[in-house]
Amino acid sequence: MSEPTVLISEADIQRRVTELAAQISGDYAGAGEITLIAVLKGAFIFLADLSRRLTVPRRIEFMALSSYEEGSVHSGAVRLVMDLREGVEGRHILVVEDIVDTGRTLHYLIELLKTREPASVRTCALVRKKDRHEVEVDIDYLGFDIPDVWVVGYGLDYAERHRALPYIGVVEPDDQ
Ligand code: PRP
């Protein structure tokens, strides 16, 4: 596999995360506590930076879903790997995702959460591959649109590598 080349710099990510946090804080001002639900594993770094810049009361929860096999081969199905520990009835939910690719994961998650009767559900994603969408899904707060390339870093991996990079880079997977 090639070494990553920079697609979105650390400075650009940090600037955009600050903007998103300000926008979210403004939109939810006076709404009471929001529940950030981060989708593991990829969203953990984005969540850490975003949540620390919010100025509204928030709690943090995690779910784990999986849509990819090892490497870059898409399995097609979304699998719930880890559920919430508590109910979310009556809560304002903000789902935090690192990347929206086909849209299947976020769509599955939104539909699942809606059955639990929250007060509201919105979505925040750092990057979106718009050309790859197979399922229509609304992203209320979006960091960046990116082309259809394999991205790593800032939480995103290729076969568990490169998650801790401070920037988002592009690699060419071995199996493409
Ligand atoms: C990635 C990413 C999203 C999902 C998006 O997770 O974190 O959850 O894929 O793809 P989709 O829009 O095509 O559904 P992945 O399954 O790679 O797991 P990970 O976050 O644990 O690496």
Side-chain angles (χ1 to χ4, degrees), residues 39-44 64-69 71 74 76-78 96-109 129 132-135 137 150 155-160 163:
V39 184
L40 293 172
K41 301 176 189 174
F44 77 109
L65 297 111
S66 187
S67 62
Y68 287 88
E69 301 300 333
H74 201 298
V78 178
V96 179
E97 258 289 25
D98 50 340
I99 185 167
V100 179
D101 185 349
T102 65
R104 289 182 187 280
T105 304
L106 198 53
H107 181 262
Y108 173 92
L109 187 54
K129 289 185 185 174
R132 291 260 307 161
H133 274 203
E134 294 173 9
V135 180
V137 64
W150 192 277
L156 293 153
D157 75 308
Y158 174 72
E160 297 303 325
R163 283 197 201 275

Side-chain angles (χ1 to χ4, degrees), residues 132-150:
R132 291 260 307 161
H133 274 203
E134 294 173 9
V135 180
E136 215 37 61
V137 64
D138 284 336
I139 303 173
D140 299 288
Y141 305 98
L142 175 66
F144 304 93
D145 269 318
I146 60 168
D148 183 16
V149 289
W150 192 277

Side-chain angles (χ1 to χ4, degrees), residues 37 63 80 83-91 93 109-119:
I37 298 180
M63 292 178 84
L80 180 61
D83 205 344
L84 298 168
R85 292 188 188 180
E86 297 172 8
V88 287
E89 189 178 339
R91 296 192 177 281
I93 293 173
L109 187 54
I110 291 166
E111 294 307 309
L112 176 65
L113 291 170
K114 279 182 181 169
T115 66
R116 300 179 180 182
E117 300 180 357

Side-chain angles (χ1 to χ4, degrees), residues 33-54:
E33 185 182 72
I34 61 175
T35 300
L36 302 173
I37 298 180
V39 184
L40 293 172
K41 301 176 189 174
F44 77 109
I45 291 178
F46 181 37
L47 173 81
D49 283 348
L50 183 74
S51 63
R52 287 181 291 180
R53 290 173 200 177
L54 295 175

